[in-house]
Each structure stands twice: as structure tokens, then as C-alpha cells.
Amino acid sequence: MGMNSCTLCPRRCAVRGAVCGAPDDLEVAAICTHTGEEPPLNPIVNVFFAHCSLHCIFCQNNDISAAEVNPEFIHYRTTDQVADQICLQLEKQESSLLGFVTPTHYANRIPDILDAIHRHGATPTFVYNSSGYESVDTLRSLEGLVDIYLPDFKYIDPALAGLCSHAPDYPEVAQAAIREMIRQVGTGLKLDENGAAYRGIIVRHLVLPGNIGNTLEVLETLADLSPFSPLHVSLMAQYFPPRPDLPAPFDRTLSEEEYRQAADRFSQLGFNGWLQELTSQSNYRPDFSLPNPFQTR
């Protein structure tokens, strides 16, 4: 690849940002305390990077994940700006957890950001929150920096991955990525005396309407990835159609029966982890025009 190529994600673009739209300079939309994560990750100071390499048709953060993002949504553009705001939020909230949300296309900037945070005297537990569409080489470059991996495992069906995320190779890529994450941090989740996680992995799966077969196979695959020590899995029910032009069945929320089938298989396979109430479909609707996208107006 040429001088402007990028191999940070599995797209391996010949031109930096050809798919994700991310420039070389940092573009961060929000840095805020979030209380809606899994219990061992709550509260957490989350850094929401703009752009994404997947562009899922149902993305709930579409305002900031698109290839072209409204400049009004970009609030931090330098390592120092990002580090200063992180440290301010960590001190303000007395949080020990720091999450980087969809950071893959800026993975090469992570060491510098963490160094700047450490120079401030802060040593938070670092959570790498990603789509699961990760290059193993990029993950290896982060070994020793990441304390907790928080990947999605969205699809086991290549056709569904192609339709929804333009990535028919997602199933094989995500499995290889999760194996690498497990190699680095193990399969368990270590908690401190206050119940906060400080090392390990949690795998998220969002159940999609009309695609319960995909979910059941994803859960079975996750069980196979860690046959001797059950993974912590977060089985999410919060899907909602983020725009009105989505085709069926993505134009509706999840049914109670669909989620019941998923939850039953989750229990049968013996996972550690968490289920969601169906009311989460109306709760997780961030507004990135606000300094904290999860606050109410």
C-alpha cells in the first residue's frame, strides 16, 4: 500500500479514510460520563470518536459515525484537548473507568492519548469499546495498554453482515479479533472491592428484529470460542430503527418473543453476563448536539 494507505481496520484502504471518512487529525464528538453501561462498567468516562469503518444501517450513533460528520458535532481535535477533558471528567466523576468508543480508525493515536493522561497523574482502567471489526495486528499493537475489551459480535451470517454493515467478512474477522482479545486479557472479568471491572472482556450482541437465527448462532459461536470458561456476554434488546427509510424487518423494534428466544439460549449456554429490558428500546437514543449526549434536555 502507498504512503496514504491505512491498515488500522480490516478494510485496509489504499487511501486513509476511504471508507470511515476519518482524517489523520483526531475528531472526537463527546467526552462524558455515561451511566448506561453494564454494571461493572458503570459509571464510565466515555470518549466518542467520530466516524466508523462499518456504517451499519441501524447505527444508533449515526450522527457521528458517518463518513461525513457535521463539524458542529466535533468538539476535540488534538491529543491535549482530549486528554485534558478526559482528566477533567475523571476527576469530576471520581470514576476509575475510561472507555474509548469506536476507536479503531484512531488506534495509532491511543498510546499518545494515554501517555498524556498519565502525565496528568491519572491512571484509569482503559476499556476498548469496539464494533468487533478489528485487525488482529492492530489489537496486538495495543497489547499491554488495554485493560478491558468490550467488543460487539454482531453477525455470524455473512449475507446479513454484508447487507447491514457492508462487511461480509465480519463473522470471520470478529471471531479472530475476539480470540486475540481473549489471548491478551483472558476470558473472565476481574472486579475490585466496589464491583468495578479492572481486567477482562465483555462481548456485546444486539439482537436484530427478524434475525433471531443469527443471534442463536452468534451465542453458540461465542460458547465455542471459550468452551472451558464462560464469557461475560451482554445480550442487548435496545434495537430501534434510527431512521424511517429502513427496509423490513429493520423498520421495527424487537418483539418480546424474539428476545425471549435469545434469552433462553443465553441461559442454556451458561454465559455470565446481562440481559436488557425491552424498555431499553426507548432509553438509548443519544443526542450528539448536547455536551453529554445522554443527558435530558
Side-chain angles (χ1 to χ4, degrees):
M1 289 195 175
M3 291 180 62
N4 295 323
S5 63
C6 178
T7 60
L8 291 173
C9 94
R11 301 283 190 192
R12 299 182 64 85
C13 293
V15 177
R16 162 77 181 178
V19 173
C20 69
D24 287 330
D25 293 336
L26 283 172
E27 292 195 342
V28 172
I31 301 173
C32 60
T33 300
H34 189 203
T35 58
E37 308 287 32
E38 290 76 10
L41 302 178
N42 186 5
I44 187 170
V45 173
N46 270 336
V47 179
F48 290 87
F49 291 85
H51 309 289
C52 180
S53 60
L54 279 187
H55 302 312
C56 303
I57 62 172
F58 51 79
C59 182
Q60 298 165 337
N61 293 350
N62 186 61
D63 284 343
I64 66 165
S65 65
E68 295 186 15
V69 176
N70 185 335
E72 293 182 1
F73 290 160
I74 308 300
H75 295 105
Y76 309 94
R77 297 180 181 275
T78 70
T79 297
D80 287 340
Q81 288 175 348
V82 171
D84 288 349
Q85 182 64 15
I86 287 171
C87 291
L88 181 66
Q89 289 292 322
L90 288 170
E91 183 177 359
K92 180 180 177 181
Q93 301 300 328
E94 298 183 350
S95 175
S96 62
L97 291 159
L98 169 65
F100 281 9
V101 182
T102 320
T104 310
H105 45 289
Y106 286 120
N108 58 327
R109 305 294 294 275
I110 287 176
D112 289 342
I113 296 172
L114 294 179
D115 282 346
I117 294 168
H118 295 158
R119 288 197 298 271
H120 280 272
T123 56
T125 298
F126 175 38
V127 181
Y128 189 88
N129 179 345
S130 89
S131 68
Y133 194 63
E134 298 282 347
S135 160
V136 169
D137 287 342
T138 295
L139 293 174
R140 286 176 179 162
S141 74
L142 299 172
E143 186 169 4
L145 298 178
V146 178
D147 299 299
I148 298 169
Y149 279 107
L150 183 60
D152 293 340
F153 189 12
K154 300 177 185 289
Y155 320 104
I156 198 63
D157 179 357
L160 184 63
L163 173 67
C164 292
S165 298
H166 320 290
D169 61 339
Y170 181 97
E172 61 190 82
V173 166
Q175 288 179 72
I178 292 171
R179 288 191 188 96
E180 174 60 21
M181 295 173 187
I182 290 172
R183 185 193 69 78
Q184 291 186 24
V185 299
T187 57
L189 190 66
K190 296 182 179 179
L191 309 179
D192 66 17
E193 63 276 9
N194 297 315
Y198 66 88
R199 185 169 179 82
I201 183 171
I202 299 172
V203 182
R204 286 175 168 170
H205 175 70
L206 177 66
V207 185
L208 299 176
N211 286 277
I212 189 63
N214 176 68
T215 287
L216 300 181
E217 288 193 48
V218 162
L219 293 175
E220 289 160 8
T221 301
L222 286 173
D224 290 341
L225 285 175
S226 182
F228 304 113
S229 177
L231 287 166
H232 283 74
V233 174
S234 182
L235 188 66
M236 305 172 79
Q238 68 189 41
Y239 178 89
F240 70 91
R243 60 179 202 262
D245 61 339
L246 290 179
F250 305 106
D251 58 347
R252 64 172 175 87
T253 55
L254 200 63
S255 72
E256 185 175 344
E257 173 60 19
E258 285 171 324
Y259 193 65
R260 184 195 64 76
Q261 290 182 53
D264 286 351
R265 192 65 183 128
F266 173 96
S267 299
Q268 292 165 4
L269 290 168
F271 291 115
N272 299 308
W274 304 270
L275 304 177
Q276 272 188 328
E277 300 291 337
L278 284 182
T279 54
S280 62
Q281 297 165 347
S282 58
N283 293 341
Y284 187 89
R285 302 202 176 190
D287 181 353
F288 285 95
S289 69
L290 300 174
N292 185 333
F294 302 94
Q295 73 187 45
T296 56
R297 287 187 182 275

